[in-house]
Amino acid sequence: CGPGNNGGDALVIAQKLHEIKQQVSVWMLFPNVNPTDETKAALKALDSNISVTQLNPSNTEEMYRLINATDYIIDGIFGIGKIRPVEGRLKTIIETINHSKATTISIDIPSGVNAANGLIKGAAIIADYTLIVQAYKIGNLLHQAKDCSKKNILVNVGIVTDIDQPKHELLTTNKNLKIPSRKHFSHKYNYGNTLVVGGHKTMPGAPQMAALAALRTGSGLASLAVRENERMYFLNTANEILVKSYDSNPTDLLGNYHSYVFGPGFGKEVGNKEVLIALLDDEVPLIIDGDGIALISEVNIPKNDKAIIITPHVGEFAKLIGKTTQDVLEDTTHLLIDFTKKYPIWVLLKGPTTIIAENGNLYFVEAGNPGLAKAGSGDVLSGVIATCVMKNLSTLNALELAVNIHGKAADLTEEQFGEEGYLASDVIQNLPKAVALYKPSK
């Protein structure tokens, strides 16, 4: 137990365990820090038969022995308030807990994880279970947090929250996200036509994966637009993908399309900005990925009903807004809120938990696995999004659906190949199985 209210919660648990005849030992880790009033009250309410020990230099080894001999450890060291850097003896205690065979249960958030951003401050408990009180905290979801809790359990304790706060919502399985069955009396244009603009002689695979992902997710057609002087590098493109080229006039690209993907493997050639401007002027949804993201700050973003979606990872977003990657890691949510209030853009920030941001509202989607941290995964996701935004869904629901389909396809691929060895192209092969899970019959 620590001195804050998280420690008080742990003390209440100790009392409850004692009442059901469990053998309980309590260790107070900060004897020189004045506890909160709630923690003082919980300490006073403990049954006198419960062993309570104040940690000091002379009994530290005794604590280590107990940690290694116990069955369960309740982590009430730090809660969601400001936490001190974990170092010295406290760091050794946490590392001893992590190396023990005990089942570890954290209250609200594993100690050592910053509740505001999910970053570890020196060291953190690796919990088997985290009992999240009332509502997820940002730090339960982002960055390093998912590596610190094997299973999160939400505990409703009846706390009333302020409904006037900006919308921060964890999107779990949405039963209303359904892909309509295809009709027998239909043709390819009924299911959307996607154009992927990208590719470079050094990265010819990126736009092709996006186009293939769009087809595997259900798009009726997918085309690839490449520079005329680089067409030779795309001669082996999959038979199902149409390849067109352009030269000096990017408006030649525009046509009978229902979504655009701009940027995968595009490089940093002169003239890329003019292509983006042409696509922005068209009325259909536009997904901007890869090398296209950096160009957002150089163009005027139209304010209309057109869905403009960028799909950066943390480093790309940091570069776009003129911050360091560490700046974004430490203040992810506020920077996303500020950016989306300033620009009429949907941001899909890729990470362990994907964040969908628009006009200051944040939506969190937990999907996929660490094997997605591999070249090409973002290109595949862009193609999935390109198909989903052509469905009869709101932009939010389309993005939620895309992230879930992509994540489920990755999970299916992990089952086949394991976490380490699968490729982005393997995920493409499992997209149809993932899509099938969102058909009405499922």
Side-chain angles (χ1 to χ4, degrees):
C1 302
N5 290 344
N6 196 254
D9 290 340
L11 290 168
V12 172
I13 292 173
Q15 177 64 30
K16 295 292 184 183
L17 289 170
H18 176 74
E19 291 172 3
I20 59 171
K21 311 301 182 186
Q22 299 300 304
Q23 183 179 346
V24 182
S25 297
V26 171
W27 283 73
M28 305 300 295
L29 299 190
F30 301 92
N32 299 322
V33 178
N34 194 31
T36 63
D37 291 342
E38 290 84 352
T39 301
K40 286 179 182 176
L43 194 57
K44 186 176 181 181
L46 280 183
D47 190 287
S48 59
N49 291 315
I50 298 176
S51 169
V52 178
T53 305
Q54 300 284 342
L55 180 67
N56 62 63
S58 66
N59 61 20
T60 304
E61 291 299 324
E62 179 188 347
M63 183 188 189
Y64 293 155
R65 287 193 294 271
L66 184 59
I67 287 171
N68 287 307
T70 195
D71 297 306
Y72 296 91
I73 294 172
I74 305 299
D75 161 34
I77 304 171
F78 292 128
I80 62 172
K82 186 177 181 180
I83 63 173
R84 66 192 72 193
V86 176
E87 54 195 10
R89 182 171 57 177
L90 179 59
K91 183 176 182 180
T92 304
I93 290 171
I94 286 178
E95 290 173 344
T96 304
I97 291 172
N98 290 342
H99 287 106
S100 75
K101 294 181 179 180
T103 298
T104 304
I105 303 166
S106 292
I107 303 169
D108 226 10
I109 193 164
S111 290
V113 177
N114 189 323
N117 56 31
L119 297 179
I120 294 172
K121 299 196 73 173
I125 293 288
I126 308 299
D128 293 285
Y129 302 92
T130 299
L131 306 181
I132 300 173
V133 179
Q134 194 64 38
Y136 275 79
K137 284 72 187 175
I138 300 296
N140 293 126
L141 297 168
L142 295 189
H143 308 319
Q144 294 170 294
K146 295 190 74 170
D147 293 316
C148 294
S149 181
K150 297 174 185 177
K151 185 175 179 61
N152 291 329
I153 301 173
L154 195 63
V155 182
N156 187 340
V157 296
I159 298 172
V160 178
T161 56
D162 184 354
I163 61 173
D164 293 327
Q165 292 295 314
K167 184 177 290 184
H168 295 173
E169 186 174 346
L170 177 64
L171 301 178
T172 54
T173 304
N174 186 340
K175 295 180 180 179
N176 295 320
L177 292 180
K178 295 296 182 184
I179 298 174
S181 298
R182 295 166 89 96
K183 298 181 184 298
H184 292 283
F185 186 64
S186 62
H187 53 77
K188 55 182 177 281
Y189 285 100
N190 292 129
Y191 303 106
N193 186 6
T194 296
L195 177 68
V196 180
V197 185
H200 185 269
K201 62 184 178 182
T202 62
M203 294 175 284
Q208 295 180 57
M209 285 193 288
L212 273 175
L215 288 171
R216 287 288 188 183
T217 310
S219 181
L221 299 94
S223 301
L224 181 60
V226 301
R227 302 178 188 90
E228 180 63 45
N229 63 353
E230 294 185 339
R231 188 182 180 106
M232 68 186 78
Y233 300 105
F234 298 88
L235 297 178
N236 293 323
T237 299
N239 295 336
E240 296 86 355
I241 300 173
L242 305 175
V243 180
K244 62 189 298 185
S245 57
Y246 62 93
D247 198 352
S248 59
N249 187 2
T251 57
D252 292 342
L253 294 172
L254 307 181
N256 186 26
Y257 297 105
H258 304 102
S259 67
Y260 294 118
V261 177
F262 172 79
F266 211 25
K268 298 175 175 61
E269 305 294 311
V270 174
N272 290 0
K273 183 170 71 171
E274 286 67 31
V275 177
L276 176 58
I277 291 170
L279 297 177
L280 285 168
D281 286 342
D282 204 355
E283 61 185 13
V284 301
L286 170 62
I287 299 96
I288 303 171
D289 187 28
D291 296 313
I293 294 171
L295 295 174
I296 283 292
S297 60
E298 301 179 21
V299 298
N300 292 321
I301 307 299
K303 292 185 177 181
N304 52 35
D305 294 333
K306 171 190 176 80
I308 302 168
I309 302 148
I310 63 173
T311 59
H313 53 61
V314 168
E316 290 169 331
F317 184 64
K319 186 176 180 180
L320 176 62
I321 63 175
K323 299 283 187 179
T324 67
T325 298
Q326 191 62 30
D327 289 336
V328 174
L329 289 173
E330 291 180 358
D331 200 19
T332 308
T333 55
H334 291 111
L335 292 172
L336 279 171
I337 290 169
D338 292 344
F339 180 82
T340 56
K341 283 186 173 181
K342 184 176 180 180
Y343 296 100
I345 294 176
W346 289 82
V347 179
L348 191 152
L349 187 69
K350 296 175 289 194
T353 295
T354 296
I355 307 177
I356 301 170
E358 186 265 342
N359 194 29
N361 296 316
L362 303 182
Y363 306 88
F364 300 84
V365 185
E366 294 186 288
N369 58 71
L372 284 171
K374 194 163 293 178
S377 295
D379 305 313
V380 175
L381 176 60
S382 292
V384 177
I385 295 171
T387 296
C388 290
V389 296
M390 297 188 292
K391 307 294 183 185
N392 188 24
L393 296 168
S394 67
T395 302
L396 175 61
N397 285 347
L399 294 176
E400 178 188 357
L401 178 63
V403 173
N404 277 296
I405 288 174
H406 184 244
K408 186 59 182 177
D411 290 342
L412 293 168
T413 309
E414 182 190 25
E415 292 174 10
Q416 290 178 273
F417 298 104
E419 191 175 82
E420 297 292 341
Y422 73 79
L423 305 176
S425 53
D426 298 323
V427 176
I428 294 174
Q429 302 306 312
N430 277 315
L431 285 172
K433 293 180 181 178
V435 168
L437 299 175
Y438 292 90
K439 303 296 284 188
S441 61
K442 302 296 183 180

